[in-house]
C-alpha cells in the first residue's frame, strides 16, 4: 500500500501578498486530502454519518518547508500511520515534482483524529468504517511515497 494521492493546482486566490500559497491553504488542502482518501476507500463523511459516526481533528502539527507558488501542481499524500479504536494518527505531505522526476516536500502534517458519535462524544469507529479506513494504513516502509 502507498499513500493516497490528490492532485491540486495552485489558484490565484490561494496566494498571499508575497505570491506564496497562504499558510492556511495548506491546512485546507490536508483536509481535502483526508476527505478524498476516506471517500476513495468507501468511508466518506456521508457514509460515516449514516453509521452514526464522525471523525474530528484533535491535534494538528504542520511543518512548512518550501512555498508553493502560482500555477504549481502539487500532490497531497495521505496515509494513516496508526488506526486505533477511537483515535488515529494520520500523516500527510504536500509535494511538487521536480524536472528530474524527484519530489520536493513543501509541507508536512501529523493529524490526530478521533471518532465520535453524532453528538460529539468519543466513540469507537463502527466496524465497517474501521475496515474501510484500514486500507489507508501504511507503515512508510513498503513503498517510498512520491
Amino acid at each position: 500500500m502507498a499513500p493516497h494521492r490528490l492532485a491540486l493546482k495552485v489558484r490565484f486566490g490561494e496566494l498571499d501578498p508575497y505570491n506564496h500559497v497562504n499558510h492556511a491553504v495548506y491546512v485546507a488542502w490536508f483536509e481535502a486530502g483526508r476527505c478524498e482518501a476516506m471517500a476513495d476507500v468507501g468511508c466518506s463523511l456521508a457514509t460515516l454519518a449514516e453509521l452514526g459516526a464522525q471523525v474530528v481533528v484533535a491535534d494538528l502539527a504542520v511543518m512548512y518547508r518550501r512555498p508553493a507558488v502560482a500555477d504549481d501542481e502539487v500532490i497531497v499524500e495521505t496515509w494513516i500511520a496508526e488506526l486505533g479504536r477511537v483515535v488515529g494518527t494520520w500523516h500527510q505531505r504536500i509535494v511538487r515534482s521536480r524536472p528530474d522526476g524527484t519530489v520536493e516536500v513543501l509541507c508536512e502534517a501529523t493529524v490526530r483524529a478521533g471518532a465520535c458519535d453524532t453528538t460529539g462524544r468519543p466513540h469507537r469507529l463502527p466496524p465497517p468504517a474501521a475496515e474501510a479506513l484500514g486500507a489507508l494504513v501504511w507503515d512508510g516502509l513498503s513503498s517510498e511515497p512520491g
Side-chain angles (χ1 to χ4, degrees):
M1 182 338 18
H4 179 273
R5 298 171 64 102
L6 173 65
L8 299 170
K9 185 170 183 176
V10 174
R11 299 172 297 183
F12 175 77
E14 296 169 325
L15 301 176
D16 64 18
Y18 307 110
N19 233 14
H20 300 141
V21 169
N22 181 278
H23 68 282
V25 172
Y26 292 92
V27 175
W29 287 350
F30 286 134
E31 176 104 20
R34 289 190 307 279
C35 289
E36 289 293 324
M38 290 172 63
D40 286 351
V41 298
C43 189
S44 68
L45 298 178
T47 300
L48 274 174
E50 290 170 8
L51 296 170
Q54 54 188 349
V55 174
V56 296
V57 172
D59 184 57
L60 170 67
V62 179
M63 176 64 72
Y64 299 95
R65 301 202 177 276
R66 296 193 177 9
V69 296
D71 294 327
D72 271 351
E73 293 181 6
V74 299
I75 303 289
V76 181
E77 296 179 332
T78 301
W79 66 96
I80 298 174
E82 183 180 342
L83 183 61
R85 293 180 208 171
V86 177
V87 177
T89 302
W90 298 67
H91 289 296
Q92 295 182 274
R93 66 185 201 166
I94 296 170
V95 300
R96 171 177 53 209
S97 293
R98 293 181 177 144
D100 66 3
T102 61
V103 295
E104 181 177 28
V105 177
L106 305 179
C107 190
E108 297 177 90
T110 300
V111 180
R112 284 182 16 97
C116 297
D117 63 18
T118 56
T119 68
R121 290 181 173 220
H123 191 272
R124 287 184 180 196
L125 275 172
E131 184 177 329
L133 291 176
L136 295 172
V137 174
W138 183 56
D139 62 12
L141 302 174
S142 56
S143 171
E144 177 61 24

